[in-house]
Amino acid sequence: MKLNKYFERSLWVFHLNTGSCNGCDIEIVAGLTPRYDLERFGIKLVGSPKHADVLLVTGPVTSKMADRVKRVYAQTPDPKAVIVVGTCGISGGVFYNSYNLSGSIDKVIPVDVYVPGCPPRPEAIINGVLQAWIKLEKLRKTLKDNSPAK
Amino acid sequence: MNYLKSEEIMELFQNRLGKQAIIDSRIETKIAGIKKNTYQVIWIGVKPNFFKEAVKILVELHYPHFAIISGIDIDKEIELVYHFSIYYGEKGKEISINIFTFLSKDNLNIPTITDLIPGAQTSERETKEMFGVNFEGLPSLPNLFLPYDFPSGVYPLRKDEKGVGVKVSEGDEVKKGE
Amino acid sequence: MSNKTYSIPIGPVHPSLKEPMTFHFEIYGERIEKVHLAPGDNHRGIEFMGRQRNPIQIIYLAERICGICSASHPFAFCQAVENAMGIEVPEKAQYIRAIIAELERIHSHILWAGVAAHELGFDSVLFLSWRAREEVLDLLEYLTGNRINYGIFMIGGVRRDITSEQITRIKKTLDYYKEIYGKLEDIFLNDPTIALRTKKVGILSKEEAIQLSAVGPTARASGLNKDVRQDQPYAAYADLEVQAITPEVYSGKVNGDVYDRIVVRLLEIVQSIQIIEQCLANLPEGEIVAEEKLVKLLNLIKKAQGEGIGRHEAPRGEVIHYVKLNQSELPEVWKARAPTYNNLMPWIPMLIGQQIADIPIVLASIDPCIACMDRVTILDRKSGQKNILTKDDLHKLSVEKTRRMAQ
């Protein structure tokens, strides 16, 4: 059964911590556990970026992690969407003036959805994931329509 | 167990090390709660060449819990503060002991205490990386926190020309106004 | 048969690690022979940033050292500044601080219980415990306004009062936990699978715990009777009867294994409930902050000279902050030490001799908080390199990673 036109198939998410304080990370897990229960939509965390549709990135990207972020992004199959959770990943937040940060996540990899907050509430993260889902389904449709096989 | 009072500990240090070894010493009493219970914090400043001896006295007194080394860059010197606590295990008996010493930047050498307290290794390695202090007797190990290809002679928490400086990249801050 | 050992890197991005950190294990067969720790992936240079901010701003930075210990770091930091300046905190504020800190302990320990169950492949328990955890987050949100990063601490006191009607709500939540605790204890301590995976695994002896300066539940599970709330009672803890919990209380003996660490943490949930109840029963009346006006407080800080340490028993162990003020808006130095920093060295004796499959649970057993521990690590800006590994390293990592994934 399809919920609506956006819910084509289950969405698998890879969570990547790039130097976050854990605040966003535990809210993401809270979003998956029974109170908020993202899993009822078929959304689940996977252990490898190669299985993922969506990258959920938190943290202000420490210099040491910048390269890892790029590698994880490259390993994620297309079509993919990137969600940034938390203010520090968007603008640096409280960590704005450190020398050890490679800057916000969108300076390292392309970002589709921003979820602000320090940390954002699980409801906001769920909303962010749904926005990414909508975008991803549109992307998938475009790919399908333009494929040479047609 | 026989607990010494803060004053007696201080006296012990003075007797064992001699007056010339101690730069500064004070006992602070802190108050907590409605019942106004107190706890004490000891600060002892020793000369670098007596430092190891001071830690030995502490270890003989009661094996201390070692917390961390704080480093402070003060102009021509680097101050190291070793935070210990002794007499844990019983309500209200614990005394914090902070031993500090000043090292001249021309001679940043201090004996390691890892032979007495192995748990100090992490902190000594960190201080070595951040301030360039040489711990005599600490085995040469790869960088703990800094990357292996980090340029030698740059010590990030130093405030002088050997530090990374305070003019940090403000990339994200600039972006705010856009 | 050769004695060749193989090296496995784990991290920084690995499903069993919630936070980035790198480990290199040298293994012989299934047995771990050597462990190399390479932290530093989570370093944000917080102490460096603290140099350019005034102590009131640092409170919020300290809160964000770690999102799970977001009451512990400000608690210790505020105490350090108060000790350096000689400010006396109003009694009521001391009690409110203790209540918030204990609520945080309940949330943190239940969180840990869930993560530990997850590492053992027991996901239904993860969901059960995290559902239970939501109640205390609701309460924290009700009391402070935030689920995480409470923003309630202020130098000289707290920013929000606890009123009598809020006390009823706190009691309601505590009753919920008293009810659910039996269930949690039954799952964790009586389940044969958990016992099989955690007993006699990751052993840390008492001597090692003392010598390596272990802190918190990790030290207590090895029989080391050490708890800042008991040893050097600060704030409201000075009025209360707090006893360090060692596994003897439950089983009569100390093994120092992962199972004992579970026992200690579970019993501490009960202890926290009791502490909050005691605090509520004796909650004094009066002011909640020594200096209400921030501008005035900042002026006091500018005039202050002195140094102080602040210690607090966080859920993971002792947090210690050191602050030196030197008649300036910015502190001369701010040093923060998180419990995982001290529990780093005890990891090595725990892991050696274990099997590869036990790595996740042993790592999780100290309740690591890499975000806390890594705050001091620093990378060079001058070299301008974002990629700090050499190419050979990268290649090696990549090949090894592929191998790992192909398995």
Side-chain angles (χ1 to χ4, degrees), chain B residues 26 33-35 37 65 68 79 89 91-92 94 96 119 126 130 145-147 149-150 156-157 159, chain C residues 51 94 211 225 230-232 238-240 307 311 318 324 332 335 337 341 376-380 388:
Chain B
R26 62 181 193 277
I34 301 177
K35 293 178 192 160
N37 289 328
H65 169 74
I68 198 160
E79 182 187 353
K91 188 176 163 66
E94 195 174 40
S96 293
E126 184 202 326
M130 301 303 160
F145 290 115
L146 297 176
D149 56 354
F150 193 80
L157 283 183
K159 291 179 185 172
Chain C
R51 266 195 208 162
Q94 297 186 13
Q211 293 196 339
N225 190 355
Q230 165 202 277
D231 302 331
Q232 197 182 73
D239 299 336
L240 311 172
E307 55 191 337
R311 299 171 76 202
E318 176 204 27
K324 190 170 188 176
E332 177 103 1
K335 183 87 191 163
R337 208 253 15 236
Y341 188 93
V376 283
T377 327
I378 284 158
L379 291 175
D380 184 28
I388 50 89

Side-chain angles (χ1 to χ4, degrees), chain C residues 388-399:
Chain C
I388 50 89
L389 284 166
T390 61
K391 267 191 178 164
D392 286 347
D393 275 347
L394 267 183
H395 180 69
K396 203 174 122 205
L397 263 179
S398 167
V399 170

Side-chain angles (χ1 to χ4, degrees), chain B residues 26 28 30-41 43 63-74 79 81 83 85 87-96 98 100 102 116-127 129-131 143-151 154 156-159 161-170, chain C residues 24 37-40 47-48 51-52 79 82-84 86 88-89 91 94-95 210-215 224-242 282-284 306-309 311 318 320 322 324 331-333 335-337 341-342 344-345 373-383 385 387-390 393:
Chain B
R26 62 181 193 277
E28 288 173 0
K30 305 288 174 192
I31 306 163
I34 301 177
K35 293 178 192 160
K36 305 290 171 205
N37 289 328
T38 57
Y39 63 88
Q40 289 183 317
V41 182
W43 300 83
Y63 198 91
H65 169 74
F66 170 76
I68 198 160
I69 307 168
S70 299
I72 311 159
D73 186 338
I74 315 167
E79 182 187 353
V81 191
H83 306 282
S85 55
Y87 297 153
Y88 47 82
E90 211 174 314
K91 188 176 163 66
K93 294 281 189 216
E94 195 174 40
I95 300 172
S96 293
N98 305 291
F100 58 94
F102 295 90
L116 301 168
I117 305 166
Q121 202 203 62
T122 326
S123 203
E124 287 194 353
R125 282 167 76 182
E126 184 202 326
T127 312
E129 285 165 32
M130 301 303 160
F131 290 96
N143 278 349
L144 182 69
F145 290 115
L146 297 176
Y148 301 140
D149 56 354
F150 193 80
V154 179
L157 283 183
R158 289 268 280 263
K159 291 179 185 172
E161 68 282 355
K162 283 191 175 175
V164 291
V166 282
K167 284 179 205 143
V168 296
S169 129
E170 282 153 3
Chain C
H24 294 271
L37 307 174
E47 281 166 14
F48 182 87
R51 266 195 208 162
Q52 300 158 53
Q79 281 194 70
E82 285 148 13
N83 284 341
E88 207 170 304
V89 182
E91 287 155 5
Q94 297 186 13
Y95 273 73
I210 295 174
Q211 293 196 339
L212 298 175
S213 306
V215 289
L224 187 58
N225 190 355
K226 190 175 182 325
D227 186 324
V228 187
R229 294 173 296 169
Q230 165 202 277
D231 302 331
Q232 197 182 73
Y234 50 95
Y237 299 114
D239 299 336
L240 311 172
E241 286 305 317
V242 185
N282 304 318
L283 194 67
E307 55 191 337
I309 53 168
R311 299 171 76 202
E318 176 204 27
I320 176 165
Y322 168 73
K324 190 170 188 176
E332 177 103 1
V333 71
K335 183 87 191 163
R337 208 253 15 236
Y341 188 93
N342 267 26
L344 205 62
M345 296 279 287
M373 186 268 302
D374 251 1
R375 88 260 160 259
V376 283
T377 327
I378 284 158
L379 291 175
D380 184 28
R381 240 192 87 253
K382 281 180 184 162
S383 69
Q385 282 187 321
N387 171 5
I388 50 89
L389 284 166
T390 61
D393 275 347

Side-chain angles (χ1 to χ4, degrees), chain C residues 81-327:
Chain C
V81 177
E82 285 148 13
N83 284 341
M85 291 173 67
I87 299 178
E88 207 170 304
V89 182
E91 287 155 5
K92 191 169 191 188
Q94 297 186 13
Y95 273 73
I96 295 174
R97 282 178 174 190
I99 292 171
I100 299 294
E102 292 309 316
L103 286 174
E104 184 190 66
R105 194 181 316 276
I106 295 176
H107 119 68
S108 178
H109 280 350
I110 295 180
L111 177 146
W112 177 82
V115 172
H118 169 72
E119 303 290 11
L120 293 171
F122 211 158
D123 269 354
S124 46
V125 180
L126 163 74
F127 289 123
L128 181 93
S129 45
W130 278 61
R131 174 64 190 85
R133 178 178 161 266
E134 286 292 333
E135 298 294 324
V136 70
L137 289 184
D138 284 349
L139 178 62
L140 279 166
E141 188 179 8
Y142 175 70
L143 293 174
T144 69
N146 294 316
R147 284 162 58 89
I148 288 161
N149 294 348
Y150 319 113
I152 194 169
F153 284 86
M154 179 45 65
I155 294 162
V158 288
R159 292 175 60 218
R160 278 169 196 259
D161 203 353
I162 289 182
T163 58
S164 51
E165 61 182 40
Q166 285 176 319
I167 292 176
T168 354
R169 174 75 170 74
I170 299 174
K171 283 185 175 151
K172 215 176 111 197
T173 309
L174 294 183
D175 287 340
Y176 170 80
Y177 281 106
K178 280 183 200 160
E179 202 185 302
I180 199 145
Y181 174 75
K183 209 170 165 184
L184 277 176
E185 192 188 88
D186 187 46
I187 295 168
F188 279 98
L189 302 183
N190 300 333
D191 185 274
T193 326
I194 291 186
L196 270 176
R197 283 300 308 276
T198 58
K199 279 192 176 170
K200 298 202 173 80
V201 171
I203 295 174
L204 181 74
S205 72
K206 190 177 174 182
E207 285 65 41
E208 284 165 340
I210 295 174
Q211 293 196 339
L212 298 175
S213 306
V215 289
T218 312
R220 290 196 281 278
S222 297
L224 187 58
N225 190 355
K226 190 175 182 325
D227 186 324
V228 187
R229 294 173 296 169
Q230 165 202 277
D231 302 331
Q232 197 182 73
Y234 50 95
Y237 299 114
D239 299 336
L240 311 172
E241 286 305 317
V242 185
Q243 285 237 314
I245 290 179
T246 48
E248 291 147 314
V249 186
Y250 179 77
S251 58
K253 59 176 191 285
V254 178
N255 299 320
D257 53 11
V258 177
Y259 186 79
D260 276 359
R261 281 168 219 139
I262 298 178
V263 171
V264 168
R265 289 205 175 86
L266 284 176
L267 295 180
E268 282 187 10
I269 297 175
V270 185
Q271 189 187 33
S272 290
I273 295 173
Q274 288 165 351
I275 290 175
I276 297 169
E277 281 179 335
Q278 283 184 54
C279 283
L280 290 177
N282 304 318
L283 194 67
E285 284 301 316
E287 293 291 313
I288 56 161
V289 65
E291 178 52 67
E292 215 171 296
K293 294 194 176 70
L294 290 185
V295 181
K296 237 175 161 181
L297 180 64
L298 200 58
N299 278 331
L300 285 176
I301 292 170
K302 277 179 195 166
K303 284 179 201 138
Q305 187 164 28
E307 55 191 337
I309 53 168
R311 299 171 76 202
H312 167 61
E313 185 74 21
R316 288 157 185 75
E318 176 204 27
V319 168
I320 176 165
H321 280 230
Y322 168 73
V323 172
K324 190 170 188 176
L325 301 171
N326 196 11
Q327 292 182 321

Side-chain angles (χ1 to χ4, degrees), chain A residues 19-25 95, chain C residues 42 44 64-68 149 371:
Chain A
S20 150
C21 76
N22 271 342
C24 300
D25 310 82
F95 310 122
Chain C
N42 208 341
R44 289 151 284 164
R64 281 158 184 81
I65 288 177
C66 171
I68 307 176
N149 294 348

